[in-house]
């Protein structure tokens, strides 16, 4: 499907602030790594072919969750051909049904099973979506996230909210777990389902209409959905790992429930796929990002990757990326430390260290402002003790821009390498590009450094111990 100019230009990666002597990189560094990047790209694309063909996967490549790579293209093609009958068409229909029947949606999931949805909610919805009247939300349900911890007060607090409002059955559960066996999510589902059943007065049909499971093709959640008689269960496809699943039903169904344009999201991702496949190092955002991150780590010891977001809309997008990078490449004693910061807020907590601390950081600015039709401006006041009349006529976005430019200037003067990713306008197309760019970059970097980016064997240890402790109590 052809993408429009907005989709094409929605994301720009600019590493020029990293090109500096002694602490940064040179043209020669980038030229040196270019053939290696092209080989890693070829390997990622070959992994996809191997996955499509169902070839046997060599031991060192298991698991091979390459299915995310062309998932956006496949979903869009199927939607273009089968419309309402397609996977995407079904998601849009379920989101519409929920919008018509409930006012609140509780999304249960942990890690890759909720972080993408949260990122989209914070980046694209009204900052106070849940507090706005229904009409101002264009009838889209309020959104809550649970099942991502074992926090008694947090769950009871949400239950208080769900049960004290006038219509106790005006809410739904979207439960997401690929394995279907993650304890935190399973416990939350058991508890919230009980509350929902009571709220529906035992009307099982009403309950069925209010529960949407998203899970792998087999497992405990799949069995539970079957026993419940859920009319719509969405698959997390085989070969798409948790933190690579944001552009499957895992992220798309919640996004549709929030009222986001899921087609535009996928078009953004498909556009990034095109850029990844076709563009050469030097003008390929995925390969250029990997080159800069990898070279800064290997040649300059920058093993802390600061994703420096500006304004308040992108914090959860950063946290989504923190998880992606940490769980994918933090293996075999390797892996850079991802760190999301929110500026200007964190200039007052971390700024000192980033300006003058150890030279172990690469800063990547993530720039993009949430949309609002209004613009706040400083007005003259007879109470000028704050001396702000000097700035009369200045708009709030200009203040953020000045902070951004001032910070970058200060980093540059101290030879602190800084790159930029711009998502402008910050909308579904830009986020689709960003999600896909980062997932591809993580896969490419994994192949470049010989780390399997898929799977998370290290997380199993805590799960095993926790279960043993609980069962032996
Ligand atoms: O990236 C991953 O695979 C993990 O972060 C999972 O998403 C997380 O552990 C949740 O797993 P599940 O969806 O099986 O409940």
């Amino acid at each position: 499907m052809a993408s429009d100019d907005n989709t094409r230009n929605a994301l720009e990666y600019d590493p020029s602030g990293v090109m500096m002597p002694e602490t940064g990189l040179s043209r020669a560094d980038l030229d040196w790594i270019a053939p290696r990047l092209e080989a890693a790209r070829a390997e990622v694309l070959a992994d996809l072919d191997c996955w499509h063909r169902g070839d046997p996967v060599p031991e060192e490549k298991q698991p091979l969750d390459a299915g995310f790579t062309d998932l956006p293209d496949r979903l869009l093609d199927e939607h273009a051909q089968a419309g309402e009958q397609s996977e995407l068409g079904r998601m849009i229909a379920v989101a519409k049904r929920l919008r018509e029947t409930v006012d609140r949606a509780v999304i249960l999931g942990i890690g890759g099973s909720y972080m993408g949805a949260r990122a989209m909610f914070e980046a694209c919805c009204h900052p106070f979506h849940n507090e706005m009247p229904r009409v101002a939300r264009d009838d889209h349900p309020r959104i809550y996230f649970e099942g991502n911890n074992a926090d008694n007060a947090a769950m009871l607090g949400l239950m208080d909210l769900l049960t004290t409002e006038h219509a106790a059955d005006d809410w739904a559960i979207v439960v997401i777990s690929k394995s279907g066996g993650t304890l935190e999510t399973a416990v939350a589902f058991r508890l919230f389902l009980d509350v929902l059943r009571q709220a529906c007065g035992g009307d099982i049909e009403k309950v069925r209409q209010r529960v949407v499971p998203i899970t792998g093709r087999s497992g405990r959640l799949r069995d539970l959905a079957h026993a419940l008689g859920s009319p719509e269960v969405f698959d997390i496809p085989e070969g798409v790992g948790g933190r690579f699943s944001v552009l499957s039903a895992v992220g798309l169904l919640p996004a549709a429930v929030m009222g986001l344009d899921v087609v535009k999201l996928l078009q953004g991702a498909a556009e990034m796929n095109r850029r990844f496949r076709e563009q050469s190092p030097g003008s390929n955002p995925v390969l250029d990002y990997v080159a800069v991150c990898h070279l800064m780590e290997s040649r300059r010891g920058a093993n802390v990757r600061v994703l420096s977001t500006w304004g308040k809309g992108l914090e959860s997008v950063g946290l989504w990326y923190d998880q992606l990078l940490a769980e994918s490449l933090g293996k075999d004693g390797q892996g850079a430390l991802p760190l999301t910061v929110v500026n200007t807020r964190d200039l007052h907590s971390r700024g000192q260290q980033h300006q003058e601390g150890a030279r172990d950081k690469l800063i990547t600015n993530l720039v993009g402002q949430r949309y609002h039709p209004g613009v706040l401006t400083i007005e003259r006041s007879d109470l000028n003790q704050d001396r702000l009349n000097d700035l009369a006529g200045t708009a709030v976005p200009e203040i953020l821009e000045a902070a951004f430019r001032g910070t970058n200037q200060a980093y540059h003067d101290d030879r602190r390498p800084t790159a930029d990713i711009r998502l402008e306008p910050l909308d579904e197309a830009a986020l689709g590009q960003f999600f896909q760019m980062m997932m591809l970059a993580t896969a490419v970097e994994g192949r470049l450094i010989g780390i399997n980016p898929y799977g998370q064997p290290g997380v199993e240890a805590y799960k095993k111990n926790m279960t043993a402790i609980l069962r032996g109590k």
Side-chain angles (χ1 to χ4, degrees), residues 336-358:
L337 174 72
L339 177 67
T340 287
V341 303
V342 179
N343 289 337
T344 66
R345 183 189 76 190
D346 295 347
L347 290 173
H348 295 257
S349 57
R350 296 184 183 275
Q352 168 62 37
Q353 189 177 37
H354 294 178
Q355 181 73 48
E356 292 183 348

Side-chain angles (χ1 to χ4, degrees), residues 236-468:
I236 306 175
E238 287 297 311
V240 176
R243 57 193 173 278
F244 292 86
S245 69
V246 60
L247 298 173
S248 72
V250 170
L252 294 172
L253 192 274
V257 174
M258 289 165 205
L260 303 188
D261 185 338
V262 286
V263 170
K264 216 166 146 191
L265 192 67
L266 290 171
Q267 285 174 338
E271 173 60 12
M272 183 53 68
N273 273 344
R274 186 194 65 76
R275 296 170 79 176
F276 173 61
R277 281 174 186 274
E278 293 176 8
Q279 295 177 334
S280 311
S283 56
N284 183 315
V286 175
L287 299 185
D288 297 348
Y289 177 80
V290 175
V292 167
C293 292
H294 173 70
L295 287 167
M296 282 300 300
E297 188 179 344
S298 55
R299 300 208 165 167
R300 299 295 182 195
N303 58 5
V304 180
R305 294 188 193 163
V306 180
L307 193 67
S308 193
T309 69
W310 292 84
K312 294 186 172 182
L314 289 168
E315 181 166 21
S316 286
V317 172
L319 295 177
W320 170 85
Y321 178 58
D322 283 1
Q323 190 233 0
L324 176 69
L325 181 61
E327 268 200 337
S328 300
L329 302 186
K331 293 167 184 160
D332 291 349
Q334 292 196 65
L337 174 72
L339 177 67
T340 287
V341 303
V342 179
N343 289 337
T344 66
R345 183 189 76 190
D346 295 347
L347 290 173
H348 295 257
S349 57
R350 296 184 183 275
Q352 168 62 37
Q353 189 177 37
H354 294 178
Q355 181 73 48
E356 292 183 348
R359 290 186 181 275
D360 57 358
K361 297 170 200 67
L362 166 66
I363 293 169
T364 302
N365 289 307
L366 185 61
V367 186
Q369 289 302 300
R370 268 188 302 210
Y371 173 74
H372 195 289
V375 176
L376 289 170
T377 303
I378 301 171
E379 303 290 348
R380 295 193 74 76
S381 169
D382 53 346
L383 287 171
N384 189 35
Q385 284 71 15
D386 52 15
R387 302 290 166 94
L388 287 181
N389 281 352
D390 292 350
L391 295 177
T394 305
V396 170
E398 289 178 76
I399 299 174
L400 190 68
E401 178 66 20
F404 172 73
R405 287 172 50 196
T407 305
N408 286 330
Q409 181 65 50
Y411 290 160
H412 185 264
D413 292 346
D414 199 48
R415 296 201 188 156
R416 305 260 164 184
T418 309
D420 296 339
I421 298 175
R422 288 189 173 271
L423 308 179
E424 285 168 335
L426 176 53
D427 62 6
E428 293 91 334
L431 273 185
Q433 286 219 25
F434 179 78
F435 287 141
Q436 194 67 11
M437 169 177 163
M438 292 319 211
M439 292 190 289
L440 289 169
T442 304
V444 168
E445 187 171 358
R447 294 310 182 209
L448 186 73
I449 62 177
I451 291 282
N452 185 358
Y454 309 116
Q456 57 283 341
V459 184
E460 295 311 313
Y462 109 84
K463 289 189 196 167
K464 210 169 120 230
N465 293 344
M466 173 174 69
T467 306

Side-chain angles (χ1 to χ4, degrees), residues 110-113 177-180 182 242-243 323 327 456:
I110 194 166
S113 285
S177 175
K178 183 175 179 197
S179 61
T182 302
R243 57 193 173 278
Q323 190 233 0
E327 268 200 337
Q456 57 283 341

Side-chain angles (χ1 to χ4, degrees), residues 98 104-121 125 129-130 141-149 155 158 162 171-177 184-185 188-189 192 210 212-214 249-259:
L98 291 182
R104 294 169 288 178
V106 178
I107 296 170
L108 303 179
I110 194 166
S113 285
Y114 95 104
M115 299 187 86
R118 176 156 218 143
M120 291 187 269
F121 181 56
C125 291
H129 176 93
N130 285 355
R142 303 170 209 194
I143 305 290
Y144 302 94
F145 294 95
E146 250 308 334
N148 54 16
N149 212 316
M155 285 195 280
L158 180 53
L162 295 168
W171 57 283
I173 299 173
V174 178
V175 54
I176 310 173
S177 175
E184 291 89 333
T185 306
F189 186 43
F192 279 86
R210 283 164 175 69
V212 185
I214 303 175
V250 170
L252 294 172
L253 192 274
V257 174
M258 289 165 205

